[in-house]
Amino acid sequence: MLGLGGSSHEFSAALMYGDDIKVAIESERISRVKHGRALWFQNPLAGAVDYCLRAEDITLADVSRIVSSDLLPYKVRDIYSGHRLTLYPHHISHAASVHMMLDPGVRAAVFVYDGMGSVTSSRQDPGSPVPRVKRETFSFFQAQDDQLTYLGGTHGEGLLEHVEYGNGVTNSIGLLYELVTVVLGFEPDDVGKTMGLAGHGQPTALPLLKKYVTLGSTFEDIFQVDFFSGDLEGALREFVERGGGGFQAKADLAASVQELLNETLVRCSELYDPNDYDVFAVAGGCGLNTVANGVLAERLPAGKSLLVAPHATDVGHAFGALWLDRQEHGEGSLALTLNGAPLNPAIGRPGRRYSEIEITTAVNAVYPRLALDPMISSPEGLAARLAGGSAIGVFNGSSEIGPRALGGRSILADPRTVEMKERINRHIKLREPFRPLAPMVLAEDFSDWFHPEATRDHFMLKIAHGTERCLREAPAVVHVDGGARVQVVDDNTDPFLVRLLREFKRLTGVPVLLNTSFNRRGEPVVETPADAIDAFFSLGLDGLYLDGRFFLAQQTED
């Protein structure tokens, strides 16, 4: 079975044999265009599908069925229409993508929220030439074992567009966050910048936002906002202008929409009876808001935990549709695996592995610009270089799914000085200096460096808080508000990272490394050895680790 993810963006492909997912990839990693966006004459999934098929040495003719969500573009549906294409509702597919990660017997509240999902109804009002549609914005499910039950949801209303023009609906926290992001001067996809900026501000615009937003008390009316009557955009721009239009006014607006999202997520969780679930599971594009996730993790009732899928965005439909397909056609348990391993946490790294020959070929292609350092061939050797103050691009095994670098395609560095944070943001990644950098930490050391326990996470999707020791000894990975987007590394994850962190701890006393995505500004995270080499030369890193071999940039004469 071949699962396809994406709608107008965040395309992906995943290949499964029986109950075992073999490989998955986001389209952007192949096309090198962020969010996998494509032009009208392109198939946005061509590269991702080809990647998966080649990884298993098969062709499309060997695929029995293709599955996706019902927001798969018509162009893509037409391309794959001869392969038993099955489509599932958008939010159900999101819900399935996190449900599949649960252990057997676990009861879960499954919550989905994003910009907008499937069209659920349409109407033509008398005297109006424009059809109107209702679309999913918040959906509530309950899950146990192989059963995923819909409890209810809030819908937004918008126009049915007949041309390639941006569309929107009411009652969407995702679209409100995007609107604020644009008012702040960022691109619509740059919601992560808004989240980072929020840490520098105070929610002084929250009363203004609440003039337009109503939080309800049922599944059907949990979040109400009308973007089309009243000038919400104008009011937000006026708030920034009254504050002088500078950094602090923008930070305060960012903090305000973030506080509203935090409050909304907590309110949604309170609609569930805590006696009916063990795990609160979140999917949908808003699930990547790590600040809100951290707040919810702290506020869930005692004994309840939070699970957020690393593929929370539309890339996750490749997985969710596969699970729904097995539910429909399979027999027995639906405990899917990734190359034989439990999905949680293995699903965070579903990319293919590159052979030694492929890596050597990529290195030889730039000869003599890379110089091999034979003294470093292990995680222990790499730890020594990091402890010496180097910022190093790491290409390690399989690549990640989702936007978070989890040690497969990461830039790693020593977290013990603020200067390292400034160097990476300003000079290596060319990012805004207000943006935070993330830590990875050994699981056994988490509580000494971060709190609370509820924010432990394999996928870097919950904001924790640095302890006094962390603030003192690893300041590069703590945001201005004390938060840290932590990746916990244990024996169930990557042995390479465990060895690396343990050796770095032995050398420095600090079991934490600074971890940010291995990419240039405006580009997706690297995927191939050639991508890694190309980015290494551009970023000015101190070294490049390619699956057991360490390289330095070599100056050459013209």
Side-chain angles (χ1 to χ4, degrees), residues 477-495:
V477 294
V478 182
H479 198 30
V480 65
D481 59 0
R485 190 175 63 206
V486 186
Q487 176 194 357
V488 173
V489 175
D490 59 29
D491 291 335
N492 293 320
T493 53
D494 186 344

Side-chain angles (χ1 to χ4, degrees), residues 153-171:
T154 294
H155 292 74
E157 183 173 284
L159 302 176
L160 179 65
E161 284 292 349
H162 66 291
V163 294
E164 289 294 323
Y165 179 77
N167 204 358
V169 297
T170 60
N171 307 338

Side-chain angles (χ1 to χ4, degrees), residues 191 211 319 549:
V191 291
K211 289 181 179 179
F319 297 126
R549 285 183 279 178

